[in-house]
Amino acid sequence: MAQPNEREEQNDTVSSKRQQLITSTESPLPSLTFDLIAEILSRLPVKLLLQLQCLGKFWKSLISDPKFAKKHLQSWRHHLMVGCVCSFQ
């Protein structure tokens, strides 16, 4: 059976290895441009967008922006038109 000092050393070693693993795998999250976020969100249904507004000030300001609303409407019109054309072929 391991002595108390040996256990402490083993625990320190395991803890040290865990910390190394965590810090070595951590990398900063890639950031998306405002335009790319708006493009992605413009493809989502309105109901989901209304829910996303509750995430914070950034999301609320983005989703309630008139330019975004126009982009969203155009995206959905395009989506509907493409869907109609495909169903006739």
Side-chain angles (χ1 to χ4, degrees):
M1 197 161 165
Q3 298 295 326
N5 288 340
E6 291 176 20
R7 281 190 208 144
E8 289 174 8
E9 288 177 14
Q10 288 173 347
N11 287 342
D12 288 344
T13 302
V14 170
S15 178
S16 166
K17 287 182 180 179
R18 282 184 187 152
Q19 187 62 35
Q20 287 174 351
L21 180 63
I22 290 170
T23 56
S24 67
T25 57
E26 284 182 1
S27 62
L29 293 173
S31 59
L32 300 175
T33 64
F34 184 80
D35 292 336
L36 185 55
I37 293 171
E39 183 65 34
I40 293 168
L41 293 179
S42 71
R43 298 164 190 250
L44 298 177
V46 173
K47 185 175 180 180
L48 182 56
L49 291 175
L50 293 174
Q51 293 172 342
L52 291 175
Q53 282 185 327
C54 299
L55 289 176
K57 291 179 183 179
F58 170 78
W59 296 102
K60 185 172 184 167
S61 66
L62 172 66
I63 294 168
S64 61
D65 185 337
K67 291 179 187 175
F68 173 77
K70 184 177 180 181
K71 181 175 186 60
H72 187 265
L73 182 60
Q74 289 172 346
S75 175
W76 276 92
R77 281 185 182 160
H78 175 75
H79 177 71
L80 290 173
M81 287 177 18
V82 169
C84 290
V85 169
C86 290
S87 64
F88 286 118
Q89 292 179 353

